[in-house]
Amino acid sequence: PCIQIHSRVKGVRVAGIMLEASSPGPNGQITTSLLEWGSPNNDDPGDERNPGVLSDVYVRVGGAVRDVSAHAMIRLHSGCIYGDNLWLWRADHVQLGKQEEANFPEISRKYRQTQRGECEVRNGLIVDAGAPNVIIVGLAVEHTTEDQVLWDGDNG
């Protein structure tokens, strides 16, 4: 992940940031998420008196480049997190390469429209079952290849 918040850390604020997926690692490993809060192996209900906050967070997979991927954009394992204004975007178009022509010029002559296998990301937001009391307002998730949001946490 670009940002990893450990379990049981109170009052973390992540705000005013844009995260962008990078190319797979040298062994072809795919990023699990760009922002991961907590750990799937730690029970962390969070702290109601000092919650975590995600505010004005933008995540994108693709756009400038097309050989990027991630399993999810944001994955929350911890509870008591408030989110406001999250935009999670899988590119539906990318920049043209040198001497490359648009693949669907009737849509746009300036960009290549992404196709299956490019800019792969399964889910925008995953709230795990061990993450109670997560509240997100102002959430936009676009163009993921599977479910845009998977929400298993209680009281959200």
Side-chain angles (χ1 to χ4, degrees), residues 7 23 55 67 92 99 116 127-128 131 141:
S7 297
S23 298
S55 183
D67 65 336
D92 57 344
Q99 307 300 319
R116 184 143 311 265
V127 180
D128 285 343
V141 182

Side-chain angles (χ1 to χ4, degrees), residues 10-25:
K10 300 176 184 179
V12 173
R13 307 293 192 255
V14 178
I17 192 167
M18 184 173 123
L19 306 175
E20 184 173 17
S22 59
S23 298

Side-chain angles (χ1 to χ4, degrees), residues 4 8 14 34 41 73 82 110 122 125 134-135 151 156:
Q4 171 76 54
R8 303 199 179 280
V14 178
L34 282 82
N41 303 322
M73 293 185 224
Y82 296 101
K110 296 182 179 183
R122 295 179 193 155
L125 173 67
V134 171
I135 296 173
W151 197 294

Side-chain angles (χ1 to χ4, degrees), residues 52-71:
V53 175
L54 292 169
S55 183
D56 300 325
V57 176
Y58 310 99
V59 181
R60 74 180 191 180
V61 177
V65 295
R66 66 185 83 151
D67 65 336
V68 295
S69 60
H71 292 296

Side-chain angles (χ1 to χ4, degrees), residues 89-117:
W89 182 71
R90 172 191 172 252
D92 57 344
H93 62 277
V94 294
Q95 291 180 352
L96 291 172
K98 291 180 181 179
Q99 307 300 319
E100 181 181 22
E101 293 186 22
N103 56 344
F104 292 95
E106 66 278 9
I107 296 173
S108 172
R109 294 184 183 281
K110 296 182 179 183
Y111 297 101
R112 173 186 170 78
Q113 304 303 308
T114 56
Q115 298 177 343
R116 184 143 311 265

Side-chain angles (χ1 to χ4, degrees), residues 133-148:
N133 303 311
V134 171
I135 296 173
I136 308 286
V137 296
L139 172 65
V141 182
E142 299 183 71
H143 314 299
T144 60
T145 57
E146 294 180 18
D147 294 312
Q148 294 183 351

